């Protein structure tokens, strides 16, 4: 009984913030619509931006209440935290990217400076289609970019200039990696990043050979171990467009504990937002480096790119020290400045109460309740990287149904099966990738997967897996042969030859008929001309007789 009670308490501790945050999104959107209608007439755009920042700050305080005061995670600040908390300023915020919680870290720092409402993000374009937030972030001044569109620089610079024209304080947040560094779920992205870094290094070395007297800071470029190779475009555009407005660059390095397996000596993925609320992250370490904007080299785009890469090299070494098993838990930074974060309960509790009551009052009204049901129940799969990487639920549900025909399976159990499948595949893929690297191969083969199964303790499944693989390869080969042999015509070769001869004969007959018609027409025209000449001669003779 006690264990069940503890289980229910733990479940509620996670479920309550998740449900509350999800349900409060329409409330925030309704409040913003009311604000927009009130300020639409007779209020300057600058004033609207000011009140919009206040509303955004209140909502983010509500969100932050659950991630700081509600959760049990220990938060530590390292580096220049005293400098950034003592005054408000306009900043470019660059950070490594491991988890969706990285967005919350921005709030954790901004609220302690009093700049929570001034946050603007550079976001990937997929997020633009998220209900509520996608539309709101665009009007709030955030900038959407296509990560694969090289022509996006003009759009980014235009958004930067609009931020400058607003005349309000700004925290412009950029995650230069563009994608989360997650060795468990994105090993292929990490490998592509390393290959790109190696290619970049080879190119710059060749350039250095052609120009030996030029200073090339990139000549020794090497793949980053704990980060993806940074994308330079947004950071370059931000510094070029806003260097006269910005006071400093905040270089943030987020470190989640535990995210390292000392047994296997491999990195683990950082917790998602829900996992963070579940307590899977025990400690969150945030390293802060404040860099005055005047000290950032910005005479050319290449200088800014070189500077950003050097910052990520420093981040990489910082994470190496963080994952060192012999480090001091509180003083791994070289300057030794660390502090346990003080609670922000007094700064967030009133916003939490306000949004909880607002949501409750709106839900109890029938008209708003129906609106809530429609909006919250609307499907949202756009831009969700996690759903794109899940095992198809329909396939798993069908397998469960085939195996349990005599009993019913609850929806929670089905979802648990799906999550188990995802976790198993991610673990197996990571182990197979490790086996492939140990054998110095560049491509994962079926043999690597079999070896990974054995190392994970599933050696007894080897015969069944081999049989399944052989069966799949046989079926695939048969399909390919069948497709190769498949005729593209409904006629036999003899029938096709007969039709060809018939078409040729018809063509010859048509050509002969055309020639005959032309000859007949020519003869008739000649006869007509001759007849007219004869009639003309007869007329002349008649006149002569007169």
């Amino acid at each position: 009984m006690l264990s069940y009670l503890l289980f229910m308490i733990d479940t509620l501790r996670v479920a309550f913030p998740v449900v509350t945050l999800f349900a409060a999104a329409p409330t925030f959107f309704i409040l913003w619509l009311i604000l927009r209608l009130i300020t639409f007439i007779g209020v300057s755009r600058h004033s609207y931006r000011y009140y919009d920042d206040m509303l955004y700050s209140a909502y983010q305080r509500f969100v932050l209440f659950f991630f700081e005061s509600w959760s049990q995670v220990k938060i530590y600040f390292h580096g220049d935290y005293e400098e950034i908390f003592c005054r408000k300023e306009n900043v470019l915020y660059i950070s490594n990217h491991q988890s969706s919680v990285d967005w919350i870290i921005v709030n954790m720092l901004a609220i302690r400076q009093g700049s929570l409402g001034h946050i603007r993000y550079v976001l990937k374009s997929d997020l633009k289609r998220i209900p509520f937030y996608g539309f709101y972030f665009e009007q709030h001044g955030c900038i959407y970019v296509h990560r694969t569109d090289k022509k996006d620089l003009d759009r980014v610079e235009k958004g930067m200039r609009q931020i400058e024209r607003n005349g309000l304080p700004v925290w412009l947040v950029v995650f230069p990696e563009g994608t989360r560094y997650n060795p468990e779920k994105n090993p292929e992205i990490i490998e592509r990043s390393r290959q790109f870094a190696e290619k970049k290094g080879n190119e710059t070395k060749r350039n250095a050979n052609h120009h030996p007297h030029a200073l090339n800071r990139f000549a020794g470029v090497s793949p980053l171990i704990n980060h993806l190779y940074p994308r330079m475009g947004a950071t370059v555009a931000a510094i070029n467009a806003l260097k006269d407005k910005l006071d400093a660059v905040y270089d943030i390095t987020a470190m989640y504990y535990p995210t390292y397996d000392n047994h296997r000596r491999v990195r683990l993925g950082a917790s998602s937002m829900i996992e963070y609320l579940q307590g899977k992250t025990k400690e969150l370490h945030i390293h802060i480096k404040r860099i005055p904007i005047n000290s950032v080299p910005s005479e050319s785009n290449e200088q800014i790119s070189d500077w950003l890469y050097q910052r990520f090299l420093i981040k990489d070494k910082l994470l190496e020290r963080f994952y060192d098993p012999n480090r001091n838990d509180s003083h791994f930074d070289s300057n030794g400045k660390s502090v346990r974060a003080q609670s922000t309960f007094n700064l967030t509790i009133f916003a939490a109460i306000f949004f909880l009551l607002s949501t409750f009052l709106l839900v109890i009204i029938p008209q708003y309740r129906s609106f809530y049901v429609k909006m919250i129940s609307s499907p949202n799969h756009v831009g969700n990287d996690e759903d794109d990487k899940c095992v198809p639920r329909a396939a798993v549900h069908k397998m469960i149904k085939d195996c349990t025909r005599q009993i019913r399976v609850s929806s929670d159990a089905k979802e648990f099966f799906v999550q188990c499948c995802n976790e198993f595949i991610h673990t197996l893929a990571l182990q197979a990738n490790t086996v492939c690297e140990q054998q110095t191969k560049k491509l994962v083969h079926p043999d690597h997967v079999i070896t990974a199964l054995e190392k994970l303790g599933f050696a007894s499944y080897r015969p069944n897996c081999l049989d399944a693989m052989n069966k799949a390869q046989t079926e695939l080969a048969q399909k390919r042969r069948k497709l190769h042999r498949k005729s593209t015509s409904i006629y036999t070769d003899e029938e096709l030859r007969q039709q060809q001869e018939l078409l040729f004969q018809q063509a010859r007959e048509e050509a002969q008929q055309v020639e005959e018609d032309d000859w007949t027409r020519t003869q008739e025209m000649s006869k007509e001309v001759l007849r007219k000449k004869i009639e003309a001669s007869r007329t002349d003779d008649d006149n002569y007789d007169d």
Side-chain angles (χ1 to χ4, degrees), residues 290-359:
R290 183 188 182 277
I291 306 169
I293 193 65
N294 295 332
S295 65
V296 177
S298 57
E299 294 181 2
S300 66
N301 293 347
E302 289 75 16
Q303 280 190 340
I304 301 174
S305 299
D306 293 352
W307 170 83
L308 180 61
Y309 179 75
Q310 295 300 320
R311 294 310 311 172
F312 268 81
L313 284 178
I314 296 173
K315 287 175 177 289
D316 220 47
K317 294 178 181 177
L318 189 64
L319 280 177
E320 284 186 24
R321 291 198 298 269
F322 179 76
Y323 292 129
D324 184 356
N326 299 320
R327 72 170 176 88
N328 185 303
D329 288 341
S330 300
H331 298 91
F332 66 92
D333 187 20
S334 57
N335 62 17
K337 293 176 62 177
S338 302
V339 67
R340 172 83 179 268
Q342 295 182 353
S343 173
T344 57
F345 180 84
N346 294 334
L347 299 175
T348 58
I349 183 60
F350 295 108
I353 294 174
F354 171 76
F355 275 96
L356 286 171
L357 291 178
S358 300
T359 303

Side-chain angles (χ1 to χ4, degrees), residues 143 152-162 236-238 240-241 301:
I143 302 169
D152 233 19
L153 192 59
D154 293 338
R155 187 185 304 111
V156 174
E157 291 181 349
K158 181 179 178 182
M160 304 292 180
R161 288 192 293 270
Q162 181 61 45
V236 171
N240 285 334
N301 293 347

Side-chain angles (χ1 to χ4, degrees), residues 44 68 133 163 203 220 231 338 393 422 449 505 532 544:
S44 66
E68 278 208 48
Y133 296 105
I163 290 175
E203 290 177 356
R231 301 170 186 265
S338 302
R393 283 176 168 77
N422 293 332
V449 180
Q505 181 64 27
K532 289 182 178 180
Y544 180 76

Side-chain angles (χ1 to χ4, degrees), residues 24 103 191-192 307 527:
W103 290 36
E191 180 60 29
R192 288 201 300 268
W307 170 83
K527 290 179 181 179

Side-chain angles (χ1 to χ4, degrees), residues 391-411:
V391 176
R393 283 176 168 77
V396 178
H397 292 174
K398 186 177 184 303
M399 288 189 289
I400 295 172
K401 185 177 180 180
D402 292 341
C403 297
T404 58
R405 294 184 180 276
Q406 304 299 325
I407 57 175
R408 296 178 60 187
V409 181
S410 67
S411 57

